[in-house]
């Protein structure tokens, strides 16, 4: 999985109409399949009288991603598949999209459904604000007091976050740092302490 990737920063929703049928698209961040399914369930509760709640999600990003989709009663291939295609092309990770449909009395046909679900998905994903998700890992240093300040500065220099400090016979320092900077920090600590201190992954 990428060490950082774009995800939704907030929920977003849009409503489009196609031949009087209402298509209400909603999207949110979902870091796990359970979070995606919880959002889908919430949309079902919010619109209990709707005919369909089509969804697609992508948990993870890049080479390490889990997808899910459902036509929710629409003709096979007309809803979940085009929705997932839009999600996959949106350059977003950890994202779920639900499109709720109210039938307007006029059948849209296979092509019309694909168009409606595709355009609604594109519209809601165009609305969602984005932020960068940064993958962090935990680490631990057990330090002699003489190198405590210098090692703390090394953690801060790689934008690490100090989580806990315990002062006893030695300093027990726990922190979090971006995945891609862990080895850089490990090498810096080794050099600063002449190899006396090794960084442990927590």
């Amino acid at each position: 999985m990428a060490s950082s990737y774009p995800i939704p920063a907030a929920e977003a929703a849009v409503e489009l109409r196609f031949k009087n049928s209402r298509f209400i698209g909603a999207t949110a961040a979902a870091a796990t399949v359970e979070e995606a399914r919880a959002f889908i369930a919430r949309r079902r509760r919010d619109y209990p009288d709707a005919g369909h709640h089509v969804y697609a999600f992508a948990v993870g990003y890049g080479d390490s991603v889990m997808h899910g989709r459902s036509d929710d009663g629409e003709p096979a291939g007309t809803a979940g598949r085009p929705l997932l295609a839009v999600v996959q092309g949106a350059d977003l990770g950890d994202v779920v999209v639900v499109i709720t449909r109210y039938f307007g009395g006029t059948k849209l046909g296979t092509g019309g459904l694909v168009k409606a679900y595709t355009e609604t998905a594109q519209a809601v994903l165009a609305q969602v604000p984005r932020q960068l998700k940064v993958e962090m890992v935990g680490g631990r240093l057990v330090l002699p007091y003489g190198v405590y300040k210098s090692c703390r500065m090394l953690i801060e220099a790689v934008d690490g976050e100090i989580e806990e400090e315990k002062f006893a016979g030695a300093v027990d320092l726990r922190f979090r740092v971006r995945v891609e900077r862990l080895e850089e920090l490990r090498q810096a600590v080794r050099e600063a302490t002449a190899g006396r201190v090794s960084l442990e992954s927590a």
Side-chain angles (χ1 to χ4, degrees):
M1 185 184 293
S3 59
S4 62
Y5 55 90
I7 64 170
E11 295 185 9
V14 299
E15 180 174 334
L16 301 181
R17 289 179 180 262
F18 298 85
K19 294 184 179 178
N20 294 322
S21 281
R22 296 171 61 202
F23 288 78
I24 306 167
T27 186
T32 64
V33 172
E34 290 74 22
E35 286 182 17
R37 296 202 181 283
F39 182 73
I40 295 161
R42 174 151 63 87
R43 298 301 291 179
R44 289 183 187 279
R45 289 194 302 271
D46 289 346
Y47 299 94
D49 56 337
H52 306 278
H53 299 277
V54 173
Y55 67 79
F57 60 78
V59 172
Y61 185 78
D63 295 333
S64 179
V65 63
M66 189 177 305
H67 292 115
R69 63 180 169 90
S70 171
D71 292 316
D72 195 36
E74 294 282 31
T78 65
R81 185 181 299 164
L83 175 50
L84 180 58
V86 174
V87 168
Q88 290 174 312
D91 191 34
L92 273 174
D94 294 349
V95 60
V96 56
V97 178
V98 181
I99 299 179
T100 299
R101 181 193 179 196
Y102 284 91
F103 181 55
T106 303
K107 290 187 176 181
L108 300 180
T110 301
L113 286 172
V114 171
K115 173 182 167 67
Y117 280 108
T118 297
E119 291 186 6
T120 305
Q122 290 169 336
V124 74
L125 288 172
Q127 292 288 329
V128 70
R130 298 174 175 223
Q131 65 184 14
L132 200 63
K133 177 177 181 175
V134 178
E135 291 294 313
M136 306 282 283
V137 290
R140 180 187 182 204
L141 293 170
V142 179
L143 303 165
Y145 279 83
V147 296
Y148 160 67
K149 283 189 178 178
S150 60
C151 286
R152 199 180 197 283
M153 288 173 63
L154 290 175
I155 294 169
E156 293 170 352
V158 295
D159 299 319
E161 301 171 0
I162 306 294
E163 291 194 312
E164 186 180 13
E165 297 175 313
K166 292 181 181 177
F167 299 90
V171 182
D172 189 342
L173 191 60
R174 294 175 187 267
F175 59 91
R176 292 182 68 75
V177 66
R178 290 174 65 150
V179 172
E180 69 268 21
R181 304 205 72 175
L182 181 64
E183 284 308 311
E184 176 187 346
L185 178 60
R186 192 188 304 276
Q187 183 63 31
V189 167
R190 190 180 298 123
E191 291 175 2
T193 64
R196 290 178 295 151
V197 175
S198 58
L199 188 156
E200 303 172 25
S201 296

